[in-house]
Amino acid sequence: MAIYVDADACPVKDEVIRVADRHKLEVFIVSNGGLRPSQNPRVQTIVVPDGPDVADMWIADRVGPADICVTGDIPLAAKCLEAGAQVIRHNGEAFTKANIGHQLAMRDLMADMRAANPLGAGGGGKPFSKADRSRFLDVLERLVRQSARR
């Protein structure tokens, strides 16, 4: 069992490491650069080449049924769910087989709407809050315990 983190713009890397330490789990922090490697022996910082979805492909090729993936990337979440992994967003929302189809459809719809907007107005999500961080920790802890029971 391991935790894979899609680390570009991930605000909860420290929280993942804290939970992983408590449960003695290996963590893979995957990005295409710009991150300071952790000194923690349980954490492997993986730097992939620049390119579209290279970090996502690295994770999708390795994640398995007992693993957890932390990502906000919906297509990556779908691939991880197909592999049997559990998937969680940075704000604590879990991706599931029951909601991933809707998530993918909404992602595509929003991309179409942005493309149709000639002025580029709108966009941007809500800011990451303390409540998001707390919810993330609670959900990650629950997912780790569920994976351990599998």
Side-chain angles (χ1 to χ4, degrees):
M1 181 158 103
I3 302 175
Y4 292 82
V5 180
D6 183 9
D8 293 324
C10 176
V12 291
K13 291 183 282 292
D14 292 339
E15 288 78 1
V16 170
I17 293 169
R18 206 168 45 213
V19 171
D21 272 345
R22 187 169 37 252
H23 294 278
K24 298 177 177 34
L25 300 175
E26 189 171 21
V27 177
F28 297 94
I29 296 184
V30 185
S31 75
N32 57 7
L35 296 178
R36 180 177 297 149
S38 172
Q39 299 303 310
N40 187 315
R42 296 188 187 285
V43 178
Q44 292 188 43
T45 302
I46 309 297
V47 178
V48 297
D50 280 336
D53 302 324
V54 177
D56 298 350
M57 288 184 286
W58 192 96
I59 293 169
D61 289 345
R62 289 161 179 82
V63 72
D67 298 328
I68 296 169
C69 179
V70 178
T71 186
D73 185 279
I74 298 168
L76 173 59
K79 290 174 186 168
C80 292
L81 287 170
E82 279 180 31
Q86 297 189 73
V87 187
I88 181 176
R89 284 186 195 267
H90 310 126
N91 65 2
E93 293 175 12
F95 287 103
T96 65
K97 290 183 180 184
N99 73 16
I100 195 65
H102 175 73
Q103 299 273 345
L104 285 164
M106 285 302 294
R107 174 188 174 271
D108 292 344
L109 175 65
M110 295 308 292
D112 289 346
M113 289 177 68
R114 283 190 299 274
N117 184 352
L119 302 176
K126 63 181 182 173
F128 189 74
S129 69
K130 287 182 181 180
D132 292 329
R133 191 175 307 279
S134 177
R135 183 174 43 253
F136 174 82
L137 276 167
D138 289 343
V139 173
L140 180 61
E141 183 69 32
R142 185 170 36 88
L143 291 178
V144 167
R145 291 172 190 234
Q146 285 175 356
S147 287
R149 285 192 296 259
R150 284 184 174 178

